[in-house]
């Protein structure tokens, strides 16, 4: 079966090549071709998964080497794949949710004249993401990493006739390039330190490597993860990425791009376990981001941007868990998978609402839509209950485990991290209840003469139903006898932390904060009419509407700061470098002018000069002899 691993990547890659190079003759069938290749990759992944289940826990890692990519002296890079429990989890998530998004897109993009190209980009995205998670070395992972960045640029800016979409795509690309530099430098450091960048030898050598090197590696990998997973301080691109078609938002925010950073940290667990300083930086970034994203989500009236803030926050939970080491790796991936179900369902539900509301995204112009979109209401509602951690649904099992693991870190850090995770759960319950109430409840706030809400076609609602089922049952199934933890343990390792707070207390606390968050949202948006125009709000609300001033900060620090640094360097160049060059030229010109005055053209002048020179030589000779 190991000889089939490459086909997981090849299937969507071939689909992308056909759709992007096949021309207009494939316009009528392009969406079907793209969906077929995506489903084929999922089917192959399911077959490999079934084969893996039939083996012992220690024999489930498969390798496939295709060819040597770069053989230069002592430098060797192979195109080789590694399929183990961790990468298999991502394969099933990427291809499964990705295929559902493909099917949904058949209806959502039905009237777009560039639909064939859109499905080609979707296939390219899947191929790049699969390459990233299946690579057995960091250099090949980097190729997939950059492929994801390219595909996201193409998808976010798909409606490039809109200046906002073109700007958002460029912003996502540039911000991610900052993080990508971290990964590229980390790979260089690995090669100079270990002589290789393959996973196995790098991880095996961590126990005999200096703390400084490991800390530097960990921080560089964290920088890369911050870019792809939209974590502070490289989170500014995520909200603007909503300019792309809604299926793109579901793909990027649920199962693929933003999860790449979580995968990178979890896969590099051996490095972070040996570098406690870098590991501390990971948990700090995760804790800050989960609160940052939640606060931003509270103030957005654009339904997609509210969900974008939610994604930032939920990925923060995963990064926090991954930073906890062996007590959190499995829970980070577990929440990643459950999040893939309910967040994809929420985004597709938002797209269904937009489809029935003439592409309106302002929730203040919704209201009462449950009567007109019953399927969307139920599926979106189940995703809502899952993400807030309602008992029995997926988020309840996965997020509670992260909160428990945060407390289990112990000491003051454990209380701070656990408290931040609990506060994030309360804010999540608030902003998601706000989205639910403003969209589906209350009085209608649209103009009946212009808008006629209606349910989406089955090609869109069926994927939403499947994702809703996963939102309900996935977490519970994973938690039976800790089956998911045991599945990942051979790859990620697992350790039970010693928490000062019992699991029962954590569950009770999360239920209390959930009720508080829901109650506050009901009091603000359920019991009173929602105004058509947003009130001015508090200082924090106004800042949250501007993404907590992240773009203002970037503009002042990096744009203006960069301009000032550039201006200073230009002045230094003009005064020092150019000054030295022009000064030397002027000196040579002045000296040559003086020498030129000696060249009169008169023979008697030259004779006098020769006589004077001879006299000087004679005098010098006599003086030297006398000495």
């Amino acid at each position: 079966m190991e000889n089939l691993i490459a086909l997981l990547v090849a299937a969507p890659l071939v689909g992308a090549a056909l759709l992007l190079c096949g021309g207009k003759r494939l316009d009528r069938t392009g969406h079907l071709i793209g969906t077929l290749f995506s489903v084929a990759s999922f089917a192959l992944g399911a077959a490999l998964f079934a084969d893996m289940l039939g083996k012992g826990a220690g024999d489930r890692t498969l390798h496939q080497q295709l060819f040597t990519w770069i053989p230069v002296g002592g430098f060797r890079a192979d195109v080789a794949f590694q399929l183990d429990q961790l990468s298999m989890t991502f394969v099933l998530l990427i291809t499964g949710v990705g295929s559902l998004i493909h099917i949904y897109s058949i209806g959502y993009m039905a009237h777009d004249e560039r639909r064939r190209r859109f499905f080609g980009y979707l296939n390219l995205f899947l191929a790049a993401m699969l390459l990233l998670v299946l690579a057995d070395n960091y250099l090949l992972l980097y190729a997939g990493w950059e492929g994801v960045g390219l595909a996201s640029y193409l998808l976010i800016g798909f409606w490039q006739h809109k200046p906002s979409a073109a700007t958002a795509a460029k912003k996502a690309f540039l911000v991610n390039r900052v993080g990508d530099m971290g990964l590229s430098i980390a790979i260089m450091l690995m090669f100079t330190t270990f002589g290789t960048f393959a996973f196995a030898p790098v991880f095996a050598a961590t126990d005999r490597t200096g703390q400084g090197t490991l800390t530097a590696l960990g921080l560089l990998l964290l920088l890369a993860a911050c870019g792809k997973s939209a974590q502070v301080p490289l989170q500014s691109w995520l909200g603007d990425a909503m300019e792309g078609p809604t299926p793109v938002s579901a793909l990027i925010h649920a199962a693929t791009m933003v999860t790449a950073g979580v995968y990178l940290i979890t896969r590099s667990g051996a490095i972070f376990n040996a570098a406690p300083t870098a590991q501390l930086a990971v948990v700090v970034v995760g804790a800050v981001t989960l609160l940052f994203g939640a606060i931003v989500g509270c103030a957005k009236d654009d339904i997609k941007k509210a969900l974008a803030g939610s994604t930032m926050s939920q990925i923060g939970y995963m990064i926090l868990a991954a930073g906890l080491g062996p007590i959190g790796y499995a829970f980070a991936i577990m929440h990643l998978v459950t999040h893939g179900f309910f967040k994809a369902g929420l985004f597709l539900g938002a797209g269904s609402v937009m489809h029935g509301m003439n592409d309106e995204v302002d929730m203040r112009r919704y209201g009462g839509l449950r009567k007109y979109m019953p399927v969307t209401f139920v599926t979106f509602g189940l995703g809502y209950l899952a993400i807030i951690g309602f008992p029995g649904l997926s988020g309840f099992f996965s997020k509670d485990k992260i909160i428990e693991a945060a407390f289990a870190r112990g000491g003051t850090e454990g209380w701070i991290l656990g408290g931040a995770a609990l506060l994030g759960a309360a804010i999540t319950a608030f902003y998601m209840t706000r989205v639910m109430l403003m969209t589906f409840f209350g009085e209608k706030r649209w103009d009946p003469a212009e808008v006629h809400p209606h349910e989406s076609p089955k090609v869109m609602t069926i994927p939403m139903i499947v994702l809703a089922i996963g939102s309900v049952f996935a977490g519970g199934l994973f938690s039976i006898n800790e089956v998911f933890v045991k599945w990942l343990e051979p790859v990620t390792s697992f350790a039970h932390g010693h928490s000062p707070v019992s699991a029962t207390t954590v569950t009770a606390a999360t239920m209390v904060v959930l009720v508080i968050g829901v109650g506050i949202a009901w009091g603000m948006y359920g019991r009173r009419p929602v105004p058509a125009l947003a009130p001015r709000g508090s200082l924090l609300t106004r800042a949250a509407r501007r993404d907590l001033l992240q773009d203002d900060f970037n503009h002042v620090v990096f744009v203006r700061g960069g301009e000032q640094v550039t201006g200073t360097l230009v002045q230094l160049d003009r005064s020092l470098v150019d000054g030295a060059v022009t000064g030397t030229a002027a000196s040579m010109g002045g000296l040559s002018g003086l020498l030129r005055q000696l060249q009169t053209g008169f023979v008697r002048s030259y004779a006098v000069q020769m006589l004077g020179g001879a006299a000087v030589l004679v005098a010098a000779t006599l003086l030297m002899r006398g000495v």
Side-chain angles (χ1 to χ4, degrees):
M1 294 293 285
E2 61 269 13
N3 294 329
L4 301 178
I5 299 175
L7 294 179
L8 290 168
V9 181
L13 188 60
V14 169
L18 285 175
L19 294 175
L20 297 177
C21 302
K24 293 184 177 181
R25 58 183 172 272
L26 295 179
D27 282 353
R28 297 181 60 184
T29 58
H31 56 289
L32 300 178
I33 294 173
T35 303
L36 176 63
F37 278 103
S38 176
V39 172
S41 186
F42 172 69
L44 178 58
L48 289 168
F49 175 63
D51 179 70
M52 187 177 286
L53 288 177
K55 299 178 179 179
D59 301 321
R60 288 174 173 168
T61 299
L62 303 176
H63 289 89
Q64 181 183 10
Q65 181 171 342
L66 294 184
F67 55 88
T68 298
W69 180 14
I70 308 175
V72 181
F75 182 85
R76 176 189 173 97
D78 294 328
V79 175
F81 300 111
Q82 174 177 306
L83 185 65
D84 54 22
Q85 291 91 323
L86 178 61
S87 53
M88 175 57 77
T89 301
F90 276 83
V91 165
L92 294 177
L93 179 66
I94 293 164
T95 58
V97 175
S99 295
L100 292 173
I101 292 172
H102 273 72
I103 296 170
Y104 177 94
S105 299
I106 293 174
Y108 190 88
M109 302 294 289
H111 303 293
D112 196 298
E113 60 183 15
R114 299 172 64 238
R115 181 167 64 166
R116 169 186 56 84
R117 186 177 295 273
F118 178 78
F119 276 84
Y121 292 159
L122 287 183
N123 273 197
L124 179 63
F125 199 109
L126 291 188
M129 191 68 194
L130 288 168
L131 178 63
L132 190 159
V133 301
L134 288 170
D136 85 333
N137 63 81
Y138 281 99
L139 189 62
L140 189 59
L141 180 150
Y142 185 73
W145 192 271
E146 293 300 323
V148 168
L150 170 63
S152 66
Y153 170 80
L154 296 172
L155 286 168
I156 294 170
F158 182 74
W159 286 328
Q160 56 202 18
H161 59 277
K162 298 164 53 179
S164 56
T167 301
K170 182 171 68 174
K171 182 177 181 179
F173 189 81
L174 292 176
V175 173
N176 272 273
R177 290 303 301 159
V178 177
D180 296 350
M181 288 299 297
L183 182 56
S184 63
I185 296 172
I187 293 172
M188 298 175 199
L189 181 58
M190 286 177 193
F191 187 76
T192 57
T193 304
F194 308 115
T196 181
F197 30 69
F199 292 152
V202 168
F203 299 156
T206 54
D207 58 351
R208 55 181 184 274
T209 305
Q211 276 293 306
T213 301
L214 292 173
T215 299
L217 272 177
L219 294 177
L220 288 168
L221 293 173
L222 174 60
L223 178 63
C226 286
K228 279 289 183 288
S229 293
Q231 300 293 284
V232 173
L234 300 179
Q235 79 289 354
S236 62
W237 66 270
L238 195 66
D240 297 86
M242 296 301 98
E243 290 293 335
T246 300
V248 174
S249 303
L251 189 65
I252 289 177
H253 288 236
T256 54
M257 183 170 175
V258 294
T259 64
V262 183
Y263 171 80
L264 180 65
I265 292 176
T266 305
R267 175 62 76 187
S268 307
I271 295 174
F272 286 97
N273 293 341
T277 301
Q279 205 169 52
L280 176 61
V282 173
V283 296
V284 170
V285 166
V288 170
T289 307
L290 76 87
L291 293 176
F292 187 104
I295 293 171
V296 167
C298 292
K300 295 296 184 181
D301 292 332
D302 183 320
I303 187 171
K304 289 174 65 177
K305 290 191 175 183
L307 294 177
S310 169
T311 295
M312 192 187 305
S313 178
Q314 297 304 308
I315 299 295
Y317 274 103
M318 301 171 207
I319 295 291
L320 168 62
L324 296 173
I327 65 174
Y329 289 136
F331 299 137
I333 304 303
M334 180 176 172
H335 192 55
L336 184 149
V337 176
T338 59
H339 177 264
F341 284 112
F342 56 69
K343 184 52 63 64
L346 288 169
F347 267 111
L348 296 189
S352 180
V353 171
M354 293 167 57
H355 181 270
M357 294 290 291
N358 292 347
D359 290 328
E360 179 61 66
V361 296
D362 189 348
M363 293 185 293
R364 294 186 180 276
R365 298 182 182 179
Y366 291 166
L369 292 181
R370 70 185 187 280
K371 302 175 184 177
Y372 304 90
M373 305 177 184
V375 177
T376 301
F377 167 64
V378 172
T379 55
F380 194 97
L382 291 173
Y384 152 72
L385 292 174
I387 194 173
I388 68 172
F390 189 83
L393 275 71
S394 293
F396 169 80
F397 294 99
S398 58
K399 189 157 58 177
D400 274 23
K401 289 296 185 181
I402 294 178
I403 298 174
E404 290 177 25
F407 279 111
R409 186 173 178 87
T412 304
E413 289 181 12
W415 285 104
I416 293 174
L417 295 175
L422 274 177
L423 179 58
I427 303 175
T428 301
F430 171 80
Y431 69 73
M432 285 307 305
T433 303
R434 175 180 180 267
V435 170
M436 196 73 186
L437 293 174
M438 292 179 70
T439 303
F440 295 102
F441 292 88
E443 298 298 325
K444 59 184 182 182
R445 298 183 295 277
W446 69 88
D447 186 353
E450 298 180 359
V451 180
H452 305 282
H454 57 276
E455 187 59 88
S456 299
K458 289 185 178 180
V459 72
M460 294 172 64
T461 57
I462 290 176
M464 292 159 55
I465 292 171
V466 174
L467 291 169
I469 293 172
S471 301
V472 173
F473 296 109
L477 292 175
F478 293 161
S479 298
I480 297 175
N481 295 325
E482 294 187 326
V483 63
F484 193 82
V485 170
K486 294 176 181 177
W487 162 258
L488 289 178
E489 187 173 4
V491 180
T492 62
S493 72
F494 179 70
H496 288 281
H498 302 287
S499 175
V501 182
S502 67
T504 303
T505 302
V506 170
T507 300
T510 55
M511 290 302 98
V512 169
V513 299
L514 185 153
V515 171
I516 292 173
V518 171
I520 295 174
W522 172 257
M524 294 179 64
Y525 299 96
R527 296 182 60 186
R528 63 186 70 172
V530 176
L533 296 177
R536 187 167 185 268
S538 65
L539 180 62
L540 179 60
T541 300
R542 297 196 298 275
R545 287 174 184 156
R546 295 175 61 88
D547 298 329
L548 292 181
L549 308 180
Q550 57 184 356
D551 284 330
D552 302 86
F553 176 82
N554 291 339
H555 184 75
V556 171
V557 175
F558 297 109
V559 178
R560 290 186 179 175
E563 290 175 350
Q564 291 180 358
V565 170
T566 302
T568 302
L569 292 175
V570 168
Q571 291 299 324
L572 288 173
D573 179 71
R574 289 175 178 173
S575 59
L576 294 180
V577 179
D578 288 353
V581 173
T582 56
T584 302
S587 300
M588 291 297 102
L591 180 61
S592 63
L594 293 175
L595 294 175
R596 188 165 55 246
Q597 293 178 6
L598 299 177
Q599 305 300 317
T600 63
F602 296 110
V603 175
R604 62 178 178 273
S605 298
Y606 297 151
V608 171
Q609 292 174 14
M610 293 173 63
L611 179 62
V616 170
L617 290 174
V618 170
T621 302
L622 294 174
L623 182 63
M624 292 177 65
R625 287 183 176 182
V627 174

